[in-house]
Structure formats: C-alpha cells, structure tokens
Amino acid sequence: MQKITHFLTAALIFGLLLSGITCEYGLEQVEGIQGTVYFPYDSTANAVLWPDTLNGAFVVIAEYQSIVYKSVDSIFTHIVAYSDPLEISHQESGYSIQLRPGYYIGGVVGIKEITLAEIAFMPLDSLVSHPEYFTIIGVYESVSSSLGVGKIKVLEDQLTDGIDINVNYEYYLPF
Amino acid sequence: MRLTNRIWVIFILVISISISLLADNGRISGVIVAEESYQPLPGANIILVGTLLGAAADLDGGFTIENVPPGDYILEVLNIGYQSVRQSVTVQSGERVEVRIVLPTKVLKSPEIVVTGARRAVRKADSPVTIATISAEQISLRNPTTMEDVLPYESGVQIIDGQINIRGSSGYARGAGTRVSVLVDGFPAISFDNGTIYWEAIPAQDIERVEILKGPGSALYGSSALGGVVNIITKRIPSGTHTKASLSEGIYSKPSDEMQVWTSQPMTLGEYRLTHSRSFGKLKLAAGLAQNNSRGYYQNGWYHRTILESRVEYSSSQNRQLLSRLYYIFDRHGSFTQWKSPFQPFHTPAGTQNDAIKTSKLQWSTAYSRIVSPRQSQLLRFHLFQTGFDNELYNNTTSSRARTAQSELQIDLRPNRTHYLTTGIDLKLHQVTADIWGNHHGWDAAVYFQDELNCGTKLKLTGGVRGDLHKIDNFTMESQLNPKLGVTLSALPGLTLRASAGRGFRAPAIAELFIESQQYIFYVKPNPDLQPETSIAAEIGAYWQKTWFDFDLAVFSSHYQHLIEPLLDQSDKKIQFRNITEARISGFEVTADWSWQFIPATGTISYTYLDPRDLRADLPLAYRHNHSLVISQQFNLAKLLSCGVDYRYLSKMERVQLYDENPATGADQRVPIHLVGGFCNLIIKPALQLNLSVENLLQYYYVVIERNMGPVRLIKLRLDYSF
C-alpha cells in the first residue's frame, strides 16, 4: 500500500509539473482574419441566389497597394491567399485566412470554367496567372475609406475578426 | 542395369527405409532455468539443430521433444533476455534423455530469433534482410492504445494518419491501399475493400513481440508486402488458471491558446479489459472483453470501442498444435477530415460536428502445425476476415462490407543439414458488398518456394520465389512472379554481413479500382484498368553483436514502378487513381543498442536517412520525412521499477500534395517533429503493477498531414491486477 501511495503521489506531482510545460517551438502562433460572407437571399424562393454560370466561390486576399485602383485586375494581381470554398447554399458562410502582419484588401470571387477541386490542386502562382477563371462578386468595404475598398490591418499574433463581405452579382467597383 | 537388378535395388532401399522408420525413436526432456535465480524460464525455444524438431518450454520451464531418431545432436536454447546456449546430446534407440540447461542473462534484451524473414524461426543475425523487433516489455512499458503508438519508435517506421511507412514506402494515400503488409500471427490484418489496416483489431496487450521486415516481402507474403512486413506475434495462453484486469485512464492536455480549445470537458480516454484463461490438460482456453472510450484530443476525435476475443490452444503432443483465435470489434468514432481553420486547428469545420463512422471487424484464424518427422513439418492455416463500415457524414452515407476467406498450407523440409526448404500454397477468396465502390468478388492463388543453403558454418545463401495469380470480377487475371536472393556471412565472431535483393508488388485495392464518390470538394471516379505497382529493392548490411552493445547498419535502395496515386483528370475534373509514378527511395539506417556496465540501464539510438524521389517529375515524393531519429533510455531499479525516456525526431516533410506552405502568409506551415515521451512501471507485487506514461511530454504542436494536428500531450495511468 505504501508503494502505491508513493507511486501515485509521484505521479500526481509529475502530472502537475507537466501541466505547466509548453514547448516554445513547433507551429508558430498564427495571425490573420476571419469573417462572414453574406449571399443574396430570395425569400420568395426561400433559397440563396446563385448564378448557374459560377462553379463556386471563395474569399481572396491581396496585398494593399497605395495606388488608385483602376480595374478589377489591378486589385487582384497581388493575391497572396484565398480561403477554403464558401458554402454557397447558405445565406451566411464563415471563413478564415492566415496572413502575416500587414495591410490587405479582400473580396469574394466566383469561379468560372474550372472546379474547386482543380483549384485545390493548383499552386497559388498558377491561380494568380489565370484571372479569366474568376469574377469579382464582392469586396470588403469600409465606410471610413475614401475609396470604399476596406483596408484590412493584421497585427502580430492577433486574429482580426469581423471582416464581413456582402456578395453582389451586379457588383461594380465603387470608384 | 538389368531390370531385375533395379528391382533388387529398389527392394533393398524400401526395406532399409522401412527399418529406419520402424526403429524405436527416442525423446529428449528437460528443464530450462535462469542462471541468476535458477527459476524456470517459460517460453524458451528449444531447437534440435539440423532438424525440424523443437519445443517451447512450459510454465515450469519443462519441455519434451518426441520422436527423435537415434544419433548425436546439438540442442540450442533461445530466450529473449538470455544468451543462447548449445549443448550436445546423444539419443539412443527408445531411450529418454534428460537435460537441464542453464541460461546466462543477456545484458541486452534484443530477441535472438525472428520468424518473419524466412517464415520460420531463425537467428536474427542469420537473416539476410533487416528485421527489427519490438518486445512485449517495450510495448507494455509504453502502454499504447493501439500499435500505432508504438511502431513509430522503431527506426524507419512512420505512421501517417493510419498508413504505415517502412523506409518511406507508402507515403499517404488518404486511406486507400497500403504498401506494407501487416500480419497478426501470420494472418493479414488488412481489409480487402479499401486496403486499410485496422490497428484497433490488433491486441496491443497480448503481443509477445513485433517483427518488422524492412524491404520487399512479396517473395513470401505476396501483395502489399512490397514495402515491408509487420508481423505481430501474440502471446501463448499460459498453463493454469489466470484472470487479469487492466484499467487505464488517460487525459490529453488542453492547448495553451484558449481559442484552440474545443471543449470545456476534460479530454479523457479510458481502456478497460478483463481476460480469463484456463487449461484442461492439453486444452487451453482464453476469453476477454475490452471497452475503450475516448473523447479525443480534437473535435470528432472521439471513439467507443468494444472488443470480444477468445482463443483456443490444443497440443496433442509437442509435435502437434492447434491454435485458434476469434476477435470481434464494434467501433463507432467521429470523422475528421481537416481542421476548421488555422486559428482553431482542433475544431472540425462547421456542419461536420455530427459526422461519425461505424465499423465492425470479425476475425477468425486457425493454425494447425505438426512435425511429421525430423525432416518435415507442416502448417495449415484458415482465416476469415470480415470488415464493414457505415459512413454517417453530412454529405456521405456510404457503406461497405468485405469478406476474405484464406487457406494456406506450408511445408518445411530439411532433406539434409545443408538445405532448408520452405514451400507453400496460399488461396484467398474475396467478396465485397458496397454502395461506394459496388459489389465485387475475386480470388488470389499463390505458390511459394524458398531454399536456405548452408555453405559451411559461416555462409548462408537464400533463394526464393513466389508466383501470384490475382483476379477481380471478370477482368483479366493478373500474374506476378517475385523472386528474392539473400546471403549472410559470419565474418568475425559476433559480426554478420548480409546482402539481399528482391521484387515486390501490390495489387490495387477495390477502393482504388472502383470508388465513385464525393469526398469534400473532390469527386472521385473509378479506374478498373489499374495495374499492380511493383518494386525492386536491394540492401547490404552488417550486424555486430557484443555483450554490451548491438550495432546494425543497412544501406538500401528501392525502385518503384507504376505507383498508384490520385490524379485530377483534366477532361472531367474528377480524381482518379492511376499508375503514374516511377520512384526511387534510397537511404541508410544505423541502429545501436547498448547497456551500461555498472548501472542497470539500457538504451537505443537509431537514425534513418531517406532520399525519396519521383523520377518522372524529378521531385521529392510527397509525405516522406528525409531524416528520422529515435533515442530511448531505460532504467531498471531492483526489477521493481522501470523508467524510461523516448525522443523521436522527424524532419519536415519536403512535399505534400494538397495544401503547400504559403510563404507570403505563413499558412499551412509544416515543421520538424520533436516528440518526447516517458514511462514508469512499478511492480508492487507479481500480481499487481502500476504504469504511468506520457506522450508528447513537451506539448509540441505540429501537423501530421496538411491541416491535421498531431496528438497533444497524453498522460496515462494503468493498473494491472492478476489473480
């Protein structure tokens, strides 16, 4: 009985000591953004509005450039990341994207001609070099921005929440 | 020669043989004891060198070898943890020879004998291929839930999300197919439909030892063994009446980042097992019941598992044995494909929280062995393996049932002291009923032959070949011929050099041939034209065994052709399994076991280097670690307390297939893996043991494959009570 008591006491002390140990290495603390994409909803049909010409949608993030944007292409030639496919059958679809600290702009693209599976097999470089596969159906906007395009700020070790985007199929750039 | 002369010669020969057969054979009986305590050594292997006769010591260390023809023999006794001993005996006609053999303690615990390389017991040093072993003690001290937790502590062995790799053979193919054959007592533990290994169907507590053949084993074991063989050998039922209760409770540590914590409940696991065995003369029976439950370290990582087992052993004599085992598992577990986000890596994506999978496995295996004469032994095996699963996923409610019936006859012949022949025939029938890949049936037939030639006392040559026929439905029958060659040379006392070359193959699994389903965003279509993948491998090595250390070096290279991998078909954007890759995996492996001379401690260090190349794309093969290192140190205090520390390192995977690292954002980062584990085992009294073990002691965060986190720290406490 004494042996059991000693062993269990040692095990308990060992366990308590362990609970304080955390390795500083391994996967780093991550930072980025998360938010919700809102799709237009037809309350009469009780369904999300979705054009048949598009095969899916996801959020893309580009580096913020301090220039005046003149076209859709000029915004998204600097794409650095994109989200997992959005749930297009729901009115709201959450997303999150890991990003390094810095400034970004974001939007929602619908994909044409290719499938989500193809995109998953495609490196980012190839994706960026094929703008013909994408059409912008939403941009993160900010009322505080004179351009209307919201500037997203990502801080070190922080998750920037509330980067919500409304989808608009008749979207035009607000400048 | 005239006909009448020939008849006379044949007549004399027949009479001579008859007289020799009628001669009254003798028997050898004895007892095996340990030198240190003079206590009996149950389980010790006794071999009559140069014949097929032998025995295993019973619970009292006693043994009998019957039907021994008169003559002079060498008796060799082998037991794990003891030095092997050879002793001369002379058997007279009709007499019984009594021996008492004392085995000196061996400092290193590495097993002396292995059975996997040649389908029979041979000295580990005499094997022309690398065979690593994991002992029952090593397994018990680490208190694994399944063998998945223990095997990666062997050099060159990794398990990636359930798929086992030996020297980088398998990579990761999302559950379909395995390039390593996993056997339990020689019977396959791989389902026929998707080629998945059911690790939970392997009883970790009942294992006597595990043997890992590194390199192609298809010349003896057929399909799936092109990357190697893991043979799990279970313990025999002890004599007498025994009951054992085992209670194990564990808890996973929560991540330090509150956002990553997916539950407010403790992440616990519990394993409860009760076994009872009893012997009635020559008949031994054992039965057991186990219940394993876990909440998991990630959302949907839970499982509830019920295991029923029974075993029968019947020995009509030392030369005839019947072993039978029935195993049934019912399991329901959560399903997890990938994390919700890098900010919540232990959460499952929205909408998938209720995803679950039900599985069941039924395994019945029976082996009957008999030593017909000192020159011939036979082994007859029957095996039924039934697996099934039902997916209860948000977008997938598929199911499958697979059945395999196997029958095998192996004959060992020892025509003289120079040759040792092993030959056999292996037949399998398969049936699959499934909505995910349809209903199918098929069969396999194989014949194998191996000859071990002893050229003097130092040189051994081994040659073998296996022919396999494989047929599914009404498709064309596949045929494969897999030869192998090996040589071992005892160059110096304790030093053995070896070289081997062989061919391996794997027939595609039903899943790879016929799957038609949607997995996440991927549509997968069938490819009935898939061909078997093949490999040609060669190895040279050296094994140096001294009192205080063992050293093993192996340099190897495997060339793979027609490797099956998933590929996106650009015409219809669907994924299909195809024979696309030609690959080469080269490398070397160094293992050293040692013992300190003045303190009761043993240790091991092993390092494996791999250079896995996709020769067509000129890229590294995906899902392989180039460097792996394992260091273990164990201390034994007064035979009552054993404590140890394990360290495992795996270099960062150079390449994955789906989500590569994004240097611009840091997303999908992969890191080298550093894992530290520890264990302590206290024998309070022979019938009562306590075990404390910790895995991932430093709470190191890493991904196993893309978007799947490796296990966090797990602390387990186990109590074993025998009565």
Side-chain angles (χ1 to χ4, degrees), chain B residues 90-129:
Chain B
T90 300
V91 177
Q92 307 285 355
S93 179
E95 285 190 3
R96 174 177 173 158
V97 180
E98 288 281 347
V99 293
R100 177 182 167 84
I101 296 175
V102 180
L103 291 193
T105 307
K106 185 170 179 281
V107 180
L108 293 169
K109 304 294 183 190
S110 54
E112 289 271 357
I113 51 168
V114 289
V115 297
T116 308
R119 275 183 176 263
R120 67 179 183 87
V122 297
R123 295 167 64 89
K124 188 179 171 183
D126 291 338
S127 174
V129 291

Short mmCIF file of all heavy atoms in Angstrom, two decimals, chain B residues 90-129:
data_model
loop_
_atom_site.label_atom_id
_atom_site.label_comp_id
_atom_site.label_asym_id
_atom_site.label_seq_id
_atom_site.Cartn_x
_atom_site.Cartn_y
_atom_site.Cartn_z
N THR B 90 23.12 -37.10 -27.02
CA THR B 90 23.10 -38.34 -27.81
C THR B 90 21.83 -39.10 -27.47
O THR B 90 21.55 -39.36 -26.29
CB THR B 90 24.33 -39.21 -27.49
OG1 THR B 90 25.50 -38.44 -27.81
CG2 THR B 90 24.33 -40.48 -28.31
N VAL B 91 21.07 -39.43 -28.49
CA VAL B 91 19.81 -40.14 -28.29
C VAL B 91 20.00 -41.59 -28.71
O VAL B 91 20.44 -41.86 -29.83
CB VAL B 91 18.68 -39.47 -29.10
CG1 VAL B 91 17.38 -40.25 -28.94
CG2 VAL B 91 18.51 -38.02 -28.68
N GLN B 92 19.70 -42.50 -27.79
CA GLN B 92 19.75 -43.93 -28.08
C GLN B 92 18.35 -44.42 -28.44
O GLN B 92 17.36 -43.81 -28.04
CB GLN B 92 20.24 -44.70 -26.84
CG GLN B 92 21.54 -44.22 -26.25
CD GLN B 92 22.76 -44.63 -27.06
OE1 GLN B 92 22.64 -45.38 -28.03
NE2 GLN B 92 23.93 -44.14 -26.69
N SER B 93 18.31 -45.51 -29.15
CA SER B 93 17.04 -46.06 -29.60
C SER B 93 16.12 -46.35 -28.41
O SER B 93 16.48 -47.07 -27.48
CB SER B 93 17.31 -47.34 -30.38
OG SER B 93 16.08 -47.88 -30.81
N GLY B 94 14.93 -45.73 -28.44
CA GLY B 94 13.91 -45.99 -27.43
C GLY B 94 14.18 -45.37 -26.07
O GLY B 94 13.41 -45.58 -25.14
N GLU B 95 15.23 -44.61 -25.95
CA GLU B 95 15.58 -44.05 -24.64
C GLU B 95 15.12 -42.60 -24.49
O GLU B 95 14.89 -41.91 -25.46
CB GLU B 95 17.10 -44.12 -24.42
CG GLU B 95 17.57 -45.52 -24.09
CD GLU B 95 19.01 -45.51 -23.64
OE1 GLU B 95 19.60 -44.41 -23.55
OE2 GLU B 95 19.54 -46.59 -23.39
N ARG B 96 15.06 -42.19 -23.24
CA ARG B 96 14.69 -40.80 -22.94
C ARG B 96 15.92 -40.12 -22.36
O ARG B 96 16.53 -40.60 -21.41
CB ARG B 96 13.55 -40.80 -21.93
CG ARG B 96 13.19 -39.43 -21.44
CD ARG B 96 12.02 -39.55 -20.50
NE ARG B 96 11.71 -38.29 -19.87
CZ ARG B 96 10.54 -38.01 -19.35
NH1 ARG B 96 9.59 -38.89 -19.39
NH2 ARG B 96 10.34 -36.85 -18.77
N VAL B 97 16.28 -38.99 -22.95
CA VAL B 97 17.46 -38.24 -22.50
C VAL B 97 16.97 -37.06 -21.66
O VAL B 97 16.09 -36.31 -22.08
CB VAL B 97 18.28 -37.72 -23.70
CG1 VAL B 97 19.50 -36.95 -23.22
CG2 VAL B 97 18.68 -38.85 -24.61
N GLU B 98 17.50 -36.93 -20.48
CA GLU B 98 17.11 -35.82 -19.58
C GLU B 98 18.22 -34.77 -19.59
O GLU B 98 19.39 -35.12 -19.45
CB GLU B 98 16.94 -36.35 -18.15
CG GLU B 98 15.70 -37.20 -17.94
CD GLU B 98 14.43 -36.38 -17.80
OE1 GLU B 98 14.53 -35.15 -17.62
OE2 GLU B 98 13.34 -36.97 -17.89
N VAL B 99 17.85 -33.52 -19.76
CA VAL B 99 18.85 -32.44 -19.73
C VAL B 99 18.36 -31.32 -18.81
O VAL B 99 17.15 -31.14 -18.61
CB VAL B 99 19.14 -31.86 -21.13
CG1 VAL B 99 19.81 -32.87 -22.02
CG2 VAL B 99 17.87 -31.34 -21.77
N ARG B 100 19.30 -30.59 -18.29
CA ARG B 100 18.97 -29.39 -17.51
C ARG B 100 19.88 -28.29 -18.06
O ARG B 100 21.11 -28.40 -18.03
CB ARG B 100 19.24 -29.63 -16.03
CG ARG B 100 19.00 -28.41 -15.15
CD ARG B 100 19.36 -28.77 -13.70
NE ARG B 100 19.45 -27.60 -12.85
CZ ARG B 100 18.42 -27.01 -12.26
NH1 ARG B 100 17.20 -27.48 -12.44
NH2 ARG B 100 18.59 -25.96 -11.49
N ILE B 101 19.28 -27.25 -18.59
CA ILE B 101 20.06 -26.22 -19.26
C ILE B 101 19.90 -24.90 -18.52
O ILE B 101 18.77 -24.48 -18.20
CB ILE B 101 19.65 -26.09 -20.74
CG1 ILE B 101 19.99 -27.40 -21.45
CG2 ILE B 101 20.35 -24.91 -21.41
CD1 ILE B 101 19.55 -27.48 -22.87
N VAL B 102 21.04 -24.29 -18.25
CA VAL B 102 21.05 -23.03 -17.50
C VAL B 102 21.40 -21.90 -18.48
O VAL B 102 22.42 -21.95 -19.16
CB VAL B 102 22.10 -23.08 -16.37
CG1 VAL B 102 22.10 -21.78 -15.60
CG2 VAL B 102 21.80 -24.25 -15.45
N LEU B 103 20.51 -20.91 -18.56
CA LEU B 103 20.75 -19.80 -19.48
C LEU B 103 21.32 -18.59 -18.74
O LEU B 103 20.69 -18.10 -17.79
CB LEU B 103 19.44 -19.36 -20.16
CG LEU B 103 18.79 -20.30 -21.17
CD1 LEU B 103 17.72 -19.55 -21.96
CD2 LEU B 103 19.79 -20.88 -22.13
N PRO B 104 22.49 -18.11 -19.16
CA PRO B 104 23.02 -16.89 -18.54
C PRO B 104 22.23 -15.66 -19.02
O PRO B 104 21.74 -15.63 -20.14
CB PRO B 104 24.46 -16.81 -19.07
CG PRO B 104 24.71 -18.09 -19.80
CD PRO B 104 23.39 -18.66 -20.15
N THR B 105 22.10 -14.69 -18.16
CA THR B 105 21.37 -13.47 -18.50
C THR B 105 22.12 -12.71 -19.59
O THR B 105 23.34 -12.61 -19.57
CB THR B 105 21.25 -12.55 -17.27
OG1 THR B 105 20.70 -13.32 -16.22
CG2 THR B 105 20.36 -11.36 -17.55
N LYS B 106 21.33 -12.18 -20.54
CA LYS B 106 21.93 -11.35 -21.59
C LYS B 106 21.67 -9.90 -21.20
O LYS B 106 20.56 -9.55 -20.78
CB LYS B 106 21.24 -11.67 -22.92
CG LYS B 106 21.82 -10.99 -24.12
CD LYS B 106 21.18 -11.60 -25.38
CE LYS B 106 21.71 -10.93 -26.63
NZ LYS B 106 21.08 -9.66 -26.88
N VAL B 107 22.66 -9.09 -21.33
CA VAL B 107 22.51 -7.71 -20.89
C VAL B 107 21.49 -6.98 -21.76
O VAL B 107 20.62 -6.26 -21.30
CB VAL B 107 23.88 -7.00 -20.94
CG1 VAL B 107 23.73 -5.57 -20.50
CG2 VAL B 107 24.86 -7.73 -20.05
N LEU B 108 21.61 -7.18 -23.07
CA LEU B 108 20.67 -6.53 -23.98
C LEU B 108 19.46 -7.42 -24.18
O LEU B 108 19.56 -8.64 -24.21
CB LEU B 108 21.35 -6.27 -25.32
CG LEU B 108 22.46 -5.23 -25.25
CD1 LEU B 108 23.25 -5.23 -26.54
CD2 LEU B 108 21.90 -3.86 -24.97
N LYS B 109 18.30 -6.79 -24.32
CA LYS B 109 17.05 -7.54 -24.38
C LYS B 109 16.63 -7.88 -25.80
O LYS B 109 15.53 -8.36 -26.01
CB LYS B 109 15.93 -6.74 -23.70
CG LYS B 109 16.25 -6.36 -22.26
CD LYS B 109 16.33 -7.56 -21.36
CE LYS B 109 16.58 -7.15 -19.92
NZ LYS B 109 16.89 -8.29 -19.07
N SER B 110 17.45 -7.57 -26.79
CA SER B 110 17.03 -7.80 -28.17
C SER B 110 16.83 -9.29 -28.42
O SER B 110 17.62 -10.12 -28.00
CB SER B 110 18.06 -7.24 -29.15
OG SER B 110 19.33 -7.77 -28.85
N PRO B 111 15.74 -9.65 -29.12
CA PRO B 111 15.44 -11.05 -29.32
C PRO B 111 16.51 -11.74 -30.17
O PRO B 111 17.11 -11.15 -31.04
CB PRO B 111 14.11 -11.03 -30.04
CG PRO B 111 13.55 -9.69 -29.79
CD PRO B 111 14.70 -8.77 -29.64
N GLU B 112 16.71 -13.00 -29.90
CA GLU B 112 17.70 -13.78 -30.63
C GLU B 112 17.12 -14.35 -31.91
O GLU B 112 17.83 -14.61 -32.85
CB GLU B 112 18.18 -14.93 -29.74
CG GLU B 112 19.05 -14.51 -28.59
CD GLU B 112 20.50 -14.48 -28.97
OE1 GLU B 112 20.82 -14.84 -30.09
OE2 GLU B 112 21.31 -14.08 -28.13
N ILE B 113 15.81 -14.62 -31.89
CA ILE B 113 15.22 -15.31 -33.03
C ILE B 113 14.11 -14.46 -33.65
O ILE B 113 13.43 -13.70 -32.97
CB ILE B 113 14.65 -16.69 -32.64
CG1 ILE B 113 13.73 -16.53 -31.43
CG2 ILE B 113 15.77 -17.66 -32.37
CD1 ILE B 113 12.91 -17.76 -31.16
N VAL B 114 13.94 -14.63 -34.95
CA VAL B 114 12.85 -13.97 -35.67
C VAL B 114 12.23 -15.01 -36.60
O VAL B 114 12.89 -15.96 -37.00
CB VAL B 114 13.34 -12.74 -36.46
CG1 VAL B 114 13.72 -11.62 -35.53
CG2 VAL B 114 14.52 -13.10 -37.36
N VAL B 115 10.96 -14.78 -36.96
CA VAL B 115 10.29 -15.75 -37.82
C VAL B 115 9.84 -15.15 -39.14
O VAL B 115 9.47 -15.87 -40.06
CB VAL B 115 9.06 -16.38 -37.12
CG1 VAL B 115 9.46 -17.14 -35.87
CG2 VAL B 115 8.01 -15.32 -36.80
N THR B 116 9.84 -13.82 -39.25
CA THR B 116 9.20 -13.19 -40.39
C THR B 116 10.01 -13.29 -41.67
O THR B 116 9.45 -13.44 -42.75
CB THR B 116 8.92 -11.71 -40.06
OG1 THR B 116 8.22 -11.66 -38.82
CG2 THR B 116 8.08 -11.06 -41.13
N GLY B 117 11.32 -13.21 -41.59
CA GLY B 117 12.14 -13.17 -42.80
C GLY B 117 12.10 -14.44 -43.60
O GLY B 117 12.19 -14.42 -44.82
N ALA B 118 11.95 -15.57 -42.93
CA ALA B 118 12.02 -16.84 -43.63
C ALA B 118 10.80 -17.72 -43.39
O ALA B 118 10.78 -18.88 -43.77
CB ALA B 118 13.27 -17.59 -43.21
N ARG B 119 9.77 -17.17 -42.72
CA ARG B 119 8.56 -17.93 -42.35
C ARG B 119 8.89 -19.08 -41.39
O ARG B 119 8.19 -20.08 -41.34
CB ARG B 119 7.87 -18.50 -43.60
CG ARG B 119 6.91 -17.52 -44.25
CD ARG B 119 6.23 -18.19 -45.40
NE ARG B 119 5.23 -17.31 -46.00
CZ ARG B 119 3.93 -17.35 -45.71
NH1 ARG B 119 3.48 -18.20 -44.82
NH2 ARG B 119 3.09 -16.54 -46.32
N ARG B 120 10.00 -18.99 -40.70
CA ARG B 120 10.34 -19.97 -39.67
C ARG B 120 11.33 -19.30 -38.73
O ARG B 120 11.88 -18.24 -39.05
CB ARG B 120 10.95 -21.22 -40.28
CG ARG B 120 12.31 -20.97 -40.91
CD ARG B 120 12.89 -22.25 -41.48
NE ARG B 120 14.22 -22.01 -42.02
CZ ARG B 120 15.34 -22.07 -41.30
NH1 ARG B 120 15.28 -22.35 -40.02
NH2 ARG B 120 16.50 -21.85 -41.86
N ALA B 121 11.55 -19.93 -37.57
CA ALA B 121 12.44 -19.33 -36.58
C ALA B 121 13.89 -19.43 -37.03
O ALA B 121 14.39 -20.52 -37.30
CB ALA B 121 12.26 -20.04 -35.24
N VAL B 122 14.52 -18.27 -37.16
CA VAL B 122 15.95 -18.25 -37.46
C VAL B 122 16.59 -17.23 -36.53
O VAL B 122 15.93 -16.33 -36.00
CB VAL B 122 16.25 -17.85 -38.93
CG1 VAL B 122 15.70 -18.86 -39.89
CG2 VAL B 122 15.72 -16.45 -39.25
N ARG B 123 17.90 -17.38 -36.34
CA ARG B 123 18.61 -16.39 -35.54
C ARG B 123 18.56 -15.05 -36.27
O ARG B 123 18.70 -15.00 -37.49
CB ARG B 123 20.06 -16.83 -35.34
CG ARG B 123 20.19 -18.10 -34.53
CD ARG B 123 21.59 -18.64 -34.65
NE ARG B 123 22.54 -17.70 -34.07
CZ ARG B 123 22.89 -17.71 -32.78
NH1 ARG B 123 22.37 -18.60 -31.97
NH2 ARG B 123 23.76 -16.84 -32.32
N LYS B 124 18.35 -13.99 -35.51
CA LYS B 124 18.25 -12.66 -36.12
C LYS B 124 19.50 -12.35 -36.94
O LYS B 124 19.42 -11.75 -38.01
CB LYS B 124 18.06 -11.63 -35.01
CG LYS B 124 17.74 -10.24 -35.53
CD LYS B 124 17.53 -9.28 -34.37
CE LYS B 124 17.43 -7.85 -34.85
NZ LYS B 124 17.30 -6.92 -33.76
N ALA B 125 20.64 -12.78 -36.45
CA ALA B 125 21.89 -12.49 -37.15
C ALA B 125 21.98 -13.21 -38.48
O ALA B 125 22.74 -12.81 -39.35
CB ALA B 125 23.07 -12.88 -36.26
N ASP B 126 21.19 -14.29 -38.66
CA ASP B 126 21.26 -15.06 -39.90
C ASP B 126 20.29 -14.58 -40.96
O ASP B 126 20.21 -15.16 -42.04
CB ASP B 126 20.97 -16.55 -39.61
CG ASP B 126 22.09 -17.19 -38.82
OD1 ASP B 126 23.22 -16.65 -38.86
OD2 ASP B 126 21.83 -18.21 -38.17
N SER B 127 19.53 -13.53 -40.67
CA SER B 127 18.55 -13.05 -41.64
C SER B 127 19.25 -12.15 -42.66
O SER B 127 19.95 -11.22 -42.30
CB SER B 127 17.45 -12.26 -40.91
OG SER B 127 16.59 -11.69 -41.87
N PRO B 128 19.03 -12.42 -43.97
CA PRO B 128 19.69 -11.59 -44.99
C PRO B 128 19.04 -10.22 -45.19
O PRO B 128 19.57 -9.38 -45.89
CB PRO B 128 19.57 -12.43 -46.26
CG PRO B 128 18.39 -13.32 -46.03
CD PRO B 128 18.30 -13.55 -44.56
N VAL B 129 17.85 -10.02 -44.58
CA VAL B 129 17.18 -8.71 -44.66
C VAL B 129 17.10 -8.12 -43.26
O VAL B 129 17.17 -8.84 -42.26
CB VAL B 129 15.76 -8.83 -45.25
CG1 VAL B 129 15.81 -9.20 -46.71
CG2 VAL B 129 14.94 -9.85 -44.48
#
